[in-house]
């Protein structure tokens, strides 16, 4: 019998289809009802924080809003919340239970600012605190590592980006996402074969930029949680400001580089890393990029760049899954982790 | 003859003394002249980004301003800068030359927002773009890894925090910083002995929270740049949301835990890590915390918590320096790095 993790990874096309169907009009209504605001504060941790990072780029470019990722400890540790004048406050949490995330929303409400909760549990403390609640409709997530709730959160961020942008064509594009995810899921057995090669990998680097900066962090987190590999994520720009010094011959480097604005920069980095004899794993639909890789992960062609992150995380989830199998680890319950992490 | 890196590390008490002396009234004037703003956008990369992260906590708690760390690629890659209504825009760059950081300030200016440059080069493009320029007065930094310019940037952030807060006692506290740094620098030869133990370390974890979240990132970056160790930084809260699964017996874990608001949480984490048989390196003035460590780094007692980051990075700089010596590496010019990194 397959693991819960595998079942949840495979369920994503259906989860995203349902989510778009059930929440699109709701999100449209919420946007209409929001009072005016200048910028957005998002509170989130772990995978949810990566969905927030996606929003930082997508809402910035497509709707023009600057995003400040909250430092929840200003409230919880220092009891000195900042003044949130003219901000919209959003909390993202699968469980809706983390006290620090709830505290940021509660403070926003206390200051009279509009608040939105994005969660898989509409009966959670986070949902109870917010003016508006967006449900992920992902069904219970039983595996400890978040997969379907992460892509559902990213889909919500994409719905907001498209609806705030007001371009109907974006919605049409978004509805193709479940099909692209299903297409990548078909490569599961190919990725299982690739995973063998990385059975004894101790550490790796993951690089993405722009919209896929978030993907690099989420992919690294999946590898850390599931396979205990010391995976570190960077944007290609930050990577060049120092950490590139750690690259040595054979270091596995995962490059998330679908076509789009960061592609030329990522391609230049790929060539630099090839010169340094790094082991390249490339996620792209570009033959030119895939040809540079020891291990190529082909993405579907013609995905609009803003939608690539929800598709490009899938090979990462599958790599995590198949590495747990190759290493005889327990995919559903990594050592030392609980499903719900309560941080103050 | 000692390396440039060592000379620059040792020069920090003098650099900070001069900086405070030369910039305190200037910064006071700038604050008086600023038009009103609701929040602050800071653009920075590498070590400068860690100084910005310190500001996110210090300006949040002490002056009440939310900080959004800029995503420069919104401008440089996507040509879609966000609307910066009611924001103050700050760029931090040692060289003042990185085109992406300059572009964020230029866009802020185009939108009629107030702009401040914090740089070591008053003739740089960043300085030319800004309404106000704060010079670091650190002298030329010849070693590739930033040390004195990082602490100088943090000192500027501390001056702003104290002056925006308006509490004169903060300024008196700040003037004691050079003395505390000098005190830690005296432990250089002790740290050289400790470094022997980590000669063959491949990877390590660095954890700090609150004001010292920034320190954990800067310390990890020094180890990566100088010693090529795969060092990864976390807040204790983020660490529990997944990455703690990577901890195995003997994994070197550097805990930055001076007394203060995050101390209890960090102490709990230290005990958890001890149970998992991690190798603990502890930076603290608390005997209770130091007693848990295989390698204790004692900090001076009674530093006000908001000032601890500028002192607690010093043992990290010294560990980086002495590891380069133990490993026969070149401290002044790490492989594959240039002093000025131009990213778009």
């Amino acid at each position: 019998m397959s693991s819960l993790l595998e079942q949840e990874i495979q369920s994503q096309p259906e989860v995203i289809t349902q989510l778009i169907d059930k929440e699109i009009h709701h999100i449209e209504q919420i946007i209409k009802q929001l009072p005016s605001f200048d910028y957005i504060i998002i509170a989130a941790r772990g995978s949810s924080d990566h969905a927030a990072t996606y929003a930082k780029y997508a809402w910035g470019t497509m709707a023009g809003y600057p995003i400040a990722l909250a430092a929840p400890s200003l409230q919880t540790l220092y009891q000195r919340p900042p003044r949130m004048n003219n901000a919209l406050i959003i909390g993202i949490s699968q469980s809706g239970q983390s006290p620090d995330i709830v505290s940021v929303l509660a403070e926003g409400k206390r200051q009279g600012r509009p608040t939105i909760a994005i969660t898989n549990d509409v009966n959670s403390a986070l949902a109870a605190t917010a003016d508006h609640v967006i449900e992920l409709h992902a069904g219970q997530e039983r595996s400890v590592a978040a997969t379907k709730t992460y892509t559902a959160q990213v889909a919500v961020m994409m719905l907001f980006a498209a609806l705030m942008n007001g371009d109907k064509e974006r919605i049409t594009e978004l509805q193709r996402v479940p099909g692209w995810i299903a297409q990548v899921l078909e490569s599961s057995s190919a990725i299982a074969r690739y995973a063998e090669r990385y059975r004894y990998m101790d550490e790796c680097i993951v690089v993405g930029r722009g919209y896929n900066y978030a993907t690099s962090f989420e992919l690294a987190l999946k590898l850390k949680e599931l396979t205990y590999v010391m995976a570190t994520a960077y944007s290609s720009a930050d990577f060049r400001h120092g950490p590139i010094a750690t690259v040595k011959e054979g270091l596995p480097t995962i490059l998330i580089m679908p076509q789009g604005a960061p592609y030329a920069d990522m391609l230049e980095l790929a060539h630099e890393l090839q010169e340094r004899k790094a082991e390249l794993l490339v996620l792209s639909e570009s033959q030119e990029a895939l040809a540079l890789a020891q291990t190529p992960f082909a993405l579907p062609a013609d995905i609009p760049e803003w939608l690539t992150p929800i598709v490009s995380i899938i090979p990462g989830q599958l790599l995590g899954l198949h590495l747990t199998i190759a290493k005889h680890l327990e995919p559903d319950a990594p050592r030392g982790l609980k499903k719900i992490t309560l941080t103050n």
Side-chain angles (χ1 to χ4, degrees), chain A:
Chain A
M1 205 183 71
S2 68
S3 60
L4 297 171
L5 178 67
E6 186 164 6
Q7 292 166 33
E8 289 170 356
I9 289 173
Q10 291 290 343
S11 74
Q12 292 175 103
E14 198 190 324
V15 167
I16 305 301
T17 303
Q18 280 201 32
L19 170 66
I20 295 173
D21 188 46
K22 291 185 175 160
E23 290 296 329
I24 186 167
H25 296 298
H26 183 206
I27 292 174
E28 204 168 10
Q29 289 307 311
I30 291 172
I31 292 171
K32 278 184 195 157
Q33 290 167 30
L34 285 176
S36 85
F37 56 92
D38 284 334
Y39 75 109
I40 302 168
I41 296 175
I42 306 184
R45 288 211 184 269
S47 292
S48 307
D49 196 35
H50 306 153
T53 299
Y54 170 74
K56 184 165 171 175
Y57 288 81
W59 298 4
T61 51
M62 293 169 63
Y65 291 112
I67 310 280
L69 300 177
S73 61
L74 300 188
Q75 270 101 290
T76 54
L77 292 185
Y78 295 100
Q79 286 88 46
R80 296 293 296 270
R83 291 179 294 275
M84 298 170 174
N85 302 354
N86 290 311
L88 164 66
I89 320 297
I90 298 180
I92 313 176
S93 167
Q94 184 278 128
S95 70
Q97 291 187 39
S98 207
D100 48 358
I101 306 306
V102 176
S103 80
V104 175
L105 246 73
E107 178 61 29
K109 202 161 186 177
R110 202 189 62 75
Q111 295 190 24
R113 300 307 310 156
T115 54
I116 300 175
I118 299 170
T119 177
N120 207 23
D121 182 357
V122 291
N123 298 311
S124 61
L126 190 71
T129 307
D131 299 331
H132 303 281
V133 180
I134 296 162
E135 187 180 351
L136 297 175
H137 303 283
Q140 193 192 350
E141 190 166 58
R142 291 162 68 199
S143 172
V144 167
T147 53
K148 63 180 181 176
T149 59
Y150 171 70
T151 47
Q153 289 167 348
V154 173
V156 169
M157 297 337 232
M158 289 173 166
L159 277 165
F160 265 99
L163 293 163
M164 290 192 293
N165 180 272
D167 182 344
K168 294 285 177 199
E169 201 188 318
R170 302 284 193 182
I171 297 295
T172 315
E173 290 173 355
L174 184 51
Q175 274 155 341
R176 295 187 60 195
V177 160
W180 287 315
I181 293 177
Q183 201 177 324
V184 177
L185 288 172
E186 283 169 17
S187 63
S188 183
S189 55
I191 291 176
R193 286 191 299 277
Y194 287 144
E196 290 293 317
R197 181 174 173 92
Y198 302 100
R199 165 67 180 85
Y200 290 99
M201 163 171 78
D202 285 323
E203 52 192 31
C204 73
I205 296 286
V206 189
V207 186
R209 200 174 170 195
Y211 295 131
N212 279 295
Y213 182 50
T215 316
S216 69
F217 277 84
E218 177 62 10
L219 203 162
L221 180 58
K222 287 310 101 167
L223 293 180
K224 284 188 269 204
E225 288 180 316
L226 290 168
T227 73
Y228 318 145
V229 170
M230 202 64 73
T232 311
Y234 300 100
S235 88
S236 50
D238 291 325
F239 190 51
R240 288 198 176 90
H241 279 262
I244 198 169
T246 61
V247 175
K248 59 192 173 195
E249 193 171 332
L251 179 73
T253 309
I254 304 176
L255 302 177
I256 304 164
M257 48 187 297
Q259 294 279 5
Y263 179 78
D265 181 51
M266 291 291 298
L267 190 66
E268 196 184 311
L269 180 66
H271 283 291
E272 275 176 63
L273 291 168
Q274 199 182 40
E275 274 170 37
R276 294 179 193 219
K277 299 186 179 158
E279 162 100 8
L280 297 186
L281 301 88
V282 171
L283 282 77
S284 185
E285 78 290 7
S286 153
Q287 290 307 319
E288 180 192 25
L290 293 169
L292 293 171
Q294 274 77 39
T295 301
F297 298 94
L299 297 174
D302 302 322
I303 307 176
E305 186 189 347
W306 70 288
L307 295 174
T308 56
I310 199 168
V311 185
S312 61
I313 188 56
I314 308 294
Q317 296 172 344
L318 291 169
L319 181 62
L321 166 70
H322 291 299
L323 265 175
T324 62
I325 297 168
K327 295 171 92 163
H328 296 293
L329 299 172
E330 174 48 69
D332 295 331
R335 67 182 177 204
L337 294 184
K338 287 170 286 191
K339 182 64 194 161
I340 298 170
T341 312
L342 302 177
T343 45
N344 281 297

